[in-house]
Amino acid sequence: MSVEGYSRLQNATFYQFSEENNYVFDQRGFNTFLKGEASTFLKPNDSRLLLNTIVTNISYSDDGVIVLDKDGSCVQADYAVCTFSLGVLQSNDVTFEPELPSWKQQGIETFTMGTYTKIFFQFPPDQVFWNTSYQYFLYADPNERGYYPVFQSLDCEGFLPGSGIIFVTVVSDQSYVVEAQDDQTTKEQVLAVLRDMFGADNVPEPIDFMYPRWSLEPWAYGSYSNWPASTSLEMHQNLRANVGRLYFAGEATSAEYGGFLHGAWTEGEVVGSAIAGMINGAHAAEQRHYEVLHGTTPLDAYNAANGWPVTSFQTYGFGD
């Protein structure tokens, strides 16, 4: 992500919510809040919730939407919200009928999918070899940039003291390498780094080890969306805008909070409210799109019509 793009998203999030970067380690799992929200309108084993269902085709028009699944079943609706990740939209796993208009397809292809991989190790709690009063440890490989550079301890106050857990984060090209190779290779590489940092005799074998492979997950193909340098707000609005009665939401469609969970949440609220209004008789909520792009984004274009309802230039006292 460009420095300007990162600052924009960071400012909007930190200024409007909090300057804190919080790590969620709820033992019930991160999806606990989602299950809680869903329980307010879904019953156990609710037939409206289709799990393990793979969508292969979406047909859309000004009259409705038909979603075709891999097992041959389909769902027909007056309106639909597509929350595929940017990675899925850029793949050929799902087709659209008719084909998406050129302005929409260009909006999708303009952006990139970032990959961010956390690799977790758990060591015997009585053989922790790092100083647990520190949260971060940095490693600079003499030959390869970004080679297992940032370690973070969870065995410290405020996290999971006594757990023996530490993880290392890799991004970009290193993420793709790590996610494509087998567990044993990755484990051996990281252990070699740790033994270089802390001494070969001080680092025991881990009792547990795991990491996700976001770039290979067919429902994700990456961790989160990324604004390339020189990307305008008009380009993003084309990614965001509806086609017929098919609307789009998710972190990638959030201009202000792209890459963040609350970006997906707020976009879902915007689109859901618009569709609810139309079902109840409101005028069609057509989202703006640009068949002709106009280069850079003027300040007055940062508005609700382009998915920017709150200024990111207001600090609300943060950072003063």
Side-chain angles (χ1 to χ4, degrees):
M1 180 179 292
S2 67
V3 173
E4 179 184 1
Y6 177 74
S7 297
R8 172 184 53 75
L9 298 175
Q10 185 187 51
N11 288 350
T13 291
F14 288 179
Y15 290 162
Q16 294 168 26
F17 293 94
S18 168
E19 290 186 304
E20 297 295 326
N21 273 310
N22 295 311
Y23 182 84
V24 177
F25 53 91
D26 191 318
Q27 297 299 287
R28 297 171 298 172
F30 191 75
N31 62 7
T32 298
F33 87 92
L34 184 61
K35 292 179 178 178
E37 288 291 328
S39 69
T40 63
F41 58 88
L42 290 176
K43 301 175 182 178
N45 302 314
D46 199 306
S47 61
R48 294 172 295 174
L49 177 62
L50 305 179
L51 300 175
N52 301 312
T53 303
I54 300 173
V55 174
T56 57
N57 176 268
I58 299 177
S59 299
Y60 65 92
S61 69
D62 291 333
D63 299 315
V65 180
I66 299 175
V67 178
L68 181 65
D69 301 325
K70 188 176 182 179
D71 62 7
S73 63
C74 69
V75 177
Q76 185 171 358
D78 291 335
Y79 301 91
V81 182
C82 177
T83 58
F84 293 146
S85 73
L86 177 68
V88 171
L89 287 173
Q90 291 177 338
S91 74
N92 294 318
D93 290 1
V94 181
T95 57
F96 293 86
E97 293 183 14
E99 290 187 358
L100 295 174
S102 58
W103 59 263
K104 182 70 176 181
Q105 192 61 45
Q106 183 181 10
I108 292 171
E109 297 300 332
T110 293
F111 292 81
T112 59
M113 200 66 177
T115 300
Y116 191 99
T117 312
K118 290 183 171 71
I119 305 165
F120 293 84
F121 283 78
Q122 184 176 26
F123 293 94
D126 60 348
Q127 297 182 55
V128 169
F129 50 87
W130 62 90
N131 186 337
T132 56
S133 66
Y134 292 100
Q135 184 178 348
Y136 291 100
F137 302 88
L138 304 181
Y139 176 75
D141 186 84
N143 301 309
E144 191 170 355
R145 182 180 181 183
Y147 187 79
Y148 304 115
V150 182
F151 289 81
Q152 184 174 356
S153 172
L154 296 184
D155 192 335
C156 59
E157 290 301 321
F159 290 93
L160 298 170
S163 65
I165 298 175
I166 192 170
F167 68 88
V168 60
T169 300
V170 291
V171 299
S172 193
D173 292 344
Q174 293 290 346
S175 277
Y176 292 111
V177 171
V178 164
E179 294 187 10
Q181 66 192 16
D182 61 85
D183 281 5
Q184 189 61 32
T185 299
T186 301
K187 182 192 293 186
E188 291 174 356
Q189 289 176 346
V190 178
L191 286 174
V193 168
L194 287 171
R195 287 165 180 157
D196 187 30
M197 294 171 67
F198 295 98
D201 296 334
N202 297 324
V203 181
E205 287 296 310
I207 59 176
D208 207 353
F209 162 82
M210 66 82 63
Y211 66 96
R213 289 174 166 83
W214 297 114
S215 64
L216 303 180
E217 290 286 357
W219 49 267
Y221 292 132
S223 303
Y224 50 78
S225 63
N226 174 43
W227 284 57
S230 302
T231 302
S232 72
L233 196 56
E234 290 183 354
M235 296 175 185
H236 181 265
Q237 185 58 26
N238 283 352
L239 165 66
R240 184 173 181 258
N242 67 295
V243 287
R245 289 193 169 186
L246 178 62
Y247 288 75
F248 294 80
E251 60 82 15
T253 68
S254 176
E256 292 201 87
Y257 314 122
F260 290 97
L261 176 65
H262 49 279
W265 183 274
T266 54
E267 283 295 284
E269 280 188 316
V270 168
V271 172
S273 297
I275 291 176
M278 289 184 287
I279 291 173
N280 290 318
H283 293 296
E286 287 291 319
Q287 294 175 311
R288 179 183 295 175
H289 71 269
Y290 299 88
E291 297 196 23
V292 178
L293 298 173
H294 300 93
T296 58
T297 306
L299 284 179
D300 60 5
Y302 288 87
N303 54 48
N306 287 322
W308 203 284
V310 182
T311 176
S312 59
F313 302 103
Q314 171 60 262
T315 67
Y316 298 101
F318 290 115
D320 293 345

